[in-house]
Amino acid sequence: MKNVILSGMRPTGKLHIGHLSILDNWVKLQSDYECYYAVTDWHALTTAFEETTELNDNVWNMVLDWLAVGLDPEKSAIFIQSQVKEHAELHLLFSMITPLSWLERVPTYKSQVYQLGLQGKDISTYGFLGYPLLMSADILLYRANAVPVGEDQLPHLELCREIARRFNYMYKKDVFPEPKALLSKISLLPGIDGRKMSKSYHNEITIDASREEIASKVRQMVTDPQRIRKTDPGNPDVCVVYTYQKIYNPEEVEDIENKCKTGAIGCVACKKKLTEKLNSALEPIREKRAYFANKPKEVREIIDNGRMKATSSAKQTMELVKEAIGINYRGV
Ligand code: TRP
Ligand code: SF4
């Protein structure tokens, strides 16, 4: 029996190339694990309950992005959280055994309430407090052994492990394994302005960007501000283009560094090189995405199959859960 992986993402907008390191990890895991990948639309609702008009597009785009980077529906269950009702059922049952204090002390909770509060959002809701518990249900519903996530999700995963332990202890059955985190390397790519790449800063490069968009984004990238003429010696260490060259153009990066420092290459030429490299790296993703975008029926089928595969595993877990609690009511 293969070990089980579950991971998910909130559909909050198009993915950008900073997400690629996490997704590459998801793709690799497909060959050794039984993988479940959920578009967690209910999680999106915990903060975006007033702005739901984009949710349909966001979910659809996320599935296209995932398929484009190489998630393989033959290997993995690619599905939408809200289409597998057992997530809600398990979340409810977990809510019975979860002390409020466990949720209130999750560090991301307090800081998020504060941050979103500053944006004028009131998220003092039941659903938002339960965010990490719903996430625990996502994971434990498939009795996942491991969860590939970014570092920011570690406190949530810790809660998940505590819930698994508490459930097993309370009902004296080993229903749940304690899933461990598989940390993906954090993306080293800054946004085009040098800050963290983020949709809210409008500095991101989406993974479906066209050739023209890539060229334009690279043109806007911040370079060494001290460099006025192209013969001025530059400092690559303060240049966003250089950070990208390290990742997308490793063969030439040393040469570029030397030429930049001696004023032997100008920023326009340097950016041109990067544009080409970025474009050829993203070309296969772009093509694959276009393929699926033109085949909505096929994509709907993939989501349907994902739902069925996920549901089948979820139902088995729920049988064990109800058995353990004693609420399967098979009669006397
Ligand atoms: N909270 C995760 C995030 O914001 C998304 C998520 C929801 C998730 N359920 C999950 C991640 C289960 C891993 C496992 O990125
Ligand atoms: Fe940056 Fe390249 Fe210009 Fe040097 S030459 S400052 S690395 S864009």
Side-chain angles (χ1 to χ4, degrees), residues 6-10 26 38 40 43 81 131 134-136 138-139 147-149 152-153 156-157:
L6 175 124
S7 201
M9 283 186 190
R10 276 173 306 144
W26 287 19
T40 58
H43 278 110
Q81 180 190 38
Y131 183 109
L134 180 57
M135 180 165 156
S136 303
D138 295 344
I139 297 165
V147 186
V149 280
D152 59 316
Q153 298 297 314
H156 293 159
L157 206 63

Side-chain angles (χ1 to χ4, degrees), residues 33-271:
Y33 293 86
E34 180 180 326
C35 295
Y36 295 87
Y37 293 122
V39 180
T40 58
D41 56 335
W42 279 336
H43 278 110
L45 279 178
T46 60
T47 52
F49 51 88
E50 287 174 311
E51 312 129 31
T52 53
T53 45
E54 284 177 8
L55 209 46
N56 178 69
D57 282 355
N58 287 348
V59 168
W60 190 251
N61 276 321
M62 180 157 273
V63 173
L64 291 180
D65 283 345
W66 285 2
L67 293 170
V69 298
L71 288 196
D72 180 352
E74 296 289 320
K75 293 182 183 157
S76 306
I78 297 167
F79 68 102
I80 299 167
Q81 180 190 38
S82 67
Q83 295 185 344
V84 181
K85 305 292 179 246
E86 284 77 8
H87 287 254
E89 188 179 8
L90 188 57
H91 177 222
L92 178 88
L93 293 174
F94 282 162
S95 77
M96 308 302 174
I97 63 163
T98 307
L100 261 184
S101 60
W102 286 18
L103 296 175
E104 285 163 346
R105 74 164 188 235
V106 173
T108 31
Y109 174 70
K110 280 202 174 100
S111 67
Q112 282 262 62
V113 166
Y114 175 72
Q115 267 182 13
L116 292 169
L118 291 182
Q119 297 164 21
K121 250 189 206 168
D122 182 11
I123 44 161
S124 49
T125 61
Y126 182 52
F128 187 69
L129 180 67
Y131 183 109
L133 196 61
L134 180 57
M135 180 165 156
S136 303
D138 295 344
I139 297 165
L140 296 175
L141 188 54
Y142 303 93
R143 281 168 287 153
N145 309 93
V147 186
V149 280
E151 205 159 348
D152 59 316
Q153 298 297 314
L154 286 183
H156 293 159
L157 206 63
E158 203 37 59
L159 179 85
C160 175
R161 295 159 58 83
E162 280 174 314
I163 298 292
R165 272 200 294 273
R166 186 168 170 94
F167 185 98
N168 291 345
Y169 171 79
M170 194 165 268
Y171 300 115
K172 298 180 181 51
K173 281 250 165 61
D174 261 339
V175 175
F176 299 114
E178 276 180 44
K180 63 172 197 289
L182 296 178
L183 279 186
S184 335
K185 276 193 244 98
I186 15 171
S187 167
L188 300 168
L189 288 177
I192 59 170
D193 59 358
R195 292 188 290 175
K196 178 179 147 60
M197 190 180 291
S198 157
K199 193 179 144 182
S200 45
Y201 293 152
H202 305 292
N203 64 358
E204 87 272 42
I205 298 177
T206 59
I207 68 172
D208 69 334
S210 66
R211 302 189 72 84
E212 297 70 35
E213 265 175 88
I214 298 279
S216 139
K217 296 276 168 154
V218 173
R219 250 182 271 122
Q220 295 170 56
M221 275 183 189
V222 176
T223 61
D224 175 1
Q226 306 284 341
R227 222 179 167 206
I228 317 260
R229 278 169 302 246
K230 72 173 179 193
T231 48
D232 291 346
N235 177 5
D237 290 332
V238 299
C239 173
V240 174
V241 181
Y242 181 69
T243 311
Y244 274 69
Q245 299 277 23
K246 280 195 267 193
I247 293 158
Y248 285 98
N249 192 6
E251 313 81 34
E252 278 189 291
V253 72
E254 225 184 285
D255 185 49
I256 289 173
E257 181 182 350
N258 291 333
K259 288 189 171 151
C260 173
K261 284 180 174 164
T262 55
I265 184 174
C267 295
V268 174
C270 185
K271 285 179 166 183

